[in-house]
Amino acid sequence: MDLDFSPGHDAFRAEVRDWLRAHVPPGPLPSLETEEGFAAHREWERALGAARLSVVSWPAGYGGRDASPLEWLIFEEEYYAAGAPGRVSQNGINLLAPTLFEHGTPEQLARVLPPMASGEVIWAQAWSEPGAGSDLAALRATATRVEGGWRLNGQKTWSSRAAFADRGFGLFRSDPESRRHRGLTYLMFPLDADGVTVRPIGRLDGRPAFAELFLDDVFVPDADVIGAPDDGWRVAMSTAGNERGLTLRSPGRYTAAAGRLLDLWRERADPSDTALRDRVADAWIRARAYRLKGFETVSRTDDVGAESSVNKVFWSEFDIALHETALDLLGADGELESEWLEGYVFSLAGPIYAGTNEIQRNVIAERVLGLPRGSR
């Protein structure tokens, strides 16, 4: 593999770096899991959109730059290296948009993507239900066909960004006689529609990172069905592949974090603690390995498919290990409110969201390694 960057790549990197240096806020924005912080992050998304930097790999007609996958990786490296704000629009741009590119209609692309790129519309993921988390096929929320569209009923929970977002996307059982993966339909719906109740779920710190959604005869037009009715599971698996792959957790996120960890070690380390030194070195190596894996992934011409589960297990467990190392370096100071502590608490959710790592290991065993079911 040729790992040299072309002059065009270098020019793109310089442009992104210069823009970020001029526009990244001097201090952290309020938490995006508060009403004030959500609004501030939406304004940041609008600034990115105006510069055509919110979705660089999208076609120009939808707000992007027609950038190559490699240029997207370059953008991500520069974004995280600059300490830029978290992306409040990530559910839309990283999960829903790739699904629309694969399964959406031209009308849906033209209608949904530009306001997503500009930060005008922020999306929530509405998949999990009480009793249907990792076992998503156990969902019970329904979509009933009516004239011109569908009526949605049921409950969604742990809906990311739903406390303050504008619209949601999720799976609903459209064939009442179906079981498991059959008879499901993938739908988009407004969170301010008649019949939608949004109940924020506070974390231990009180911030509503998630929300429950109660749907009571919510009308959704046929134009908001993604893919074919009753074929929602196949559509959802393309979303899940993106959630577990590079788009949700790009290598740039971890190379930047590993660089900050190295700086922390230089500042705080006890030279005699070789075990902690080795953990820092391991984090740096693993971040670089994930970066190289990213280059390999974007250079492939075939579909990554089930291999995205390998990515998901790697980055979720690496994220915890990296933050644990930082907190051990900080010692008692790590108990104070800090960026590393907040990052560590968030990292603990990594092995759960996007499909638990136990489920991902089953996928890897059966679909990547070809092991028979029941041998695990």
Side-chain angles (χ1 to χ4, degrees):
M1 183 184 299
D2 182 5
L3 295 178
D4 291 329
F5 294 106
S6 70
H9 293 145
D10 291 337
F12 177 72
R13 184 186 294 277
E15 178 190 353
V16 171
R17 183 177 296 174
D18 289 346
W19 189 91
L20 290 168
R21 185 180 294 120
H23 292 87
V24 169
L29 297 179
S31 170
L32 58 80
E33 290 153 0
T34 64
E35 186 172 6
E36 174 193 10
F38 198 95
H41 282 79
R42 189 194 291 267
E43 287 304 311
W44 170 248
E45 295 289 344
R46 287 172 174 156
L48 284 171
R52 289 188 174 267
L53 289 174
S54 64
V55 285
V56 295
S57 61
W58 289 11
Y62 300 132
R65 290 192 173 209
D66 293 296
S68 68
L70 179 55
E71 288 172 322
W72 174 78
L73 285 178
I74 291 171
F75 170 82
E76 290 284 296
E77 286 187 349
E78 294 301 319
Y79 191 88
Y80 284 103
R87 301 296 304 275
V88 73
S89 64
Q90 68 177 18
N91 285 331
I93 63 177
N94 292 337
L95 303 179
L96 178 58
T99 305
L100 287 170
F101 280 123
E102 186 173 352
H103 299 281
T105 66
E107 185 277 334
Q108 287 174 334
L109 296 174
R111 170 168 55 91
V112 175
L113 296 184
M116 185 190 298
S118 69
E120 178 184 349
V121 176
I122 305 297
W123 290 81
Q125 184 180 21
W127 281 28
S128 296
E129 300 179 8
S134 295
D135 186 14
L136 182 62
L139 65 85
R140 294 182 294 177
T142 62
T144 303
R145 186 180 284 282
V146 296
E147 183 177 356
W150 304 80
R151 291 284 180 186
L152 307 184
N153 285 278
Q155 179 183 356
K156 298 290 183 176
T157 193
W158 305 118
S159 299
S160 303
R161 304 283 178 259
F164 307 113
D166 305 296
R167 293 178 64 84
F169 58 91
L171 277 178
F172 296 83
R173 192 161 299 283
S174 47
D175 179 356
E177 302 301 320
S178 66
R179 294 292 182 270
R180 304 292 297 166
H181 309 91
R182 301 180 183 277
L184 303 174
T185 298
Y186 201 126
L187 290 141
M188 302 177 284
F189 57 95
L191 295 179
D192 62 353
D194 290 341
V196 177
T197 300
V198 178
R199 182 180 296 170
I201 300 175
R203 303 184 310 190
L204 289 177
D205 61 7
R207 296 170 181 170
F210 306 95
E212 292 179 291
L213 304 177
F214 297 88
L215 309 170
D216 184 13
D217 273 345
V218 178
F219 177 76
V220 176
D222 284 321
D224 281 345
V225 174
I226 303 177
D230 296 336
D231 192 31
W233 186 261
R234 185 173 66 90
V235 180
M237 289 306 95
S238 67
T239 306
N242 285 292
E243 188 175 23
R244 297 165 188 162
L246 291 177
T247 55
L248 186 63
R249 292 291 179 262
S250 69
R253 179 188 184 102
Y254 299 103
T255 52
R260 290 189 289 110
L261 178 65
L262 187 59
D263 290 340
L264 182 65
W265 178 78
R266 288 170 174 154
E267 175 189 341
R268 303 289 296 258
D270 175 358
S272 66
D273 191 342
T274 58
L276 196 51
R277 178 202 62 192
D278 290 348
R279 288 168 61 191
V280 173
D282 179 70
W284 190 90
I285 291 168
R286 291 169 73 182
R288 295 291 163 173
Y290 189 45
R291 181 176 187 256
L292 293 175
K293 174 61 177 174
F295 291 149
E296 186 270 340
T297 298
V298 301
S299 69
R300 292 172 59 166
T301 57
D302 59 323
D303 183 17
V304 175
E307 288 184 35
S308 63
S309 292
V310 178
N311 273 348
K312 197 273 172 169
V313 171
F314 178 87
W315 59 248
S316 61
E317 296 186 351
F318 173 43
D319 203 14
I320 294 173
L322 187 150
H323 283 85
E324 284 179 341
T325 302
L327 292 179
D328 286 345
L329 275 168
L330 287 167
D333 291 343
E335 298 297 320
L336 304 175
E337 181 67 28
S338 69
E339 182 181 358
W340 284 113
L341 180 59
E342 185 168 343
Y344 171 68
V345 171
F346 183 80
S347 74
L348 295 176
I352 301 173
Y353 64 77
T356 64
N357 284 8
E358 291 79 8
I359 296 294
Q360 302 316 308
R361 285 187 166 86
N362 287 347
V363 172
I364 294 166
E366 296 168 8
R367 303 182 195 173
V368 180
L369 301 179
L371 299 178
R373 292 179 65 88
S375 66
R376 45 187 182 270

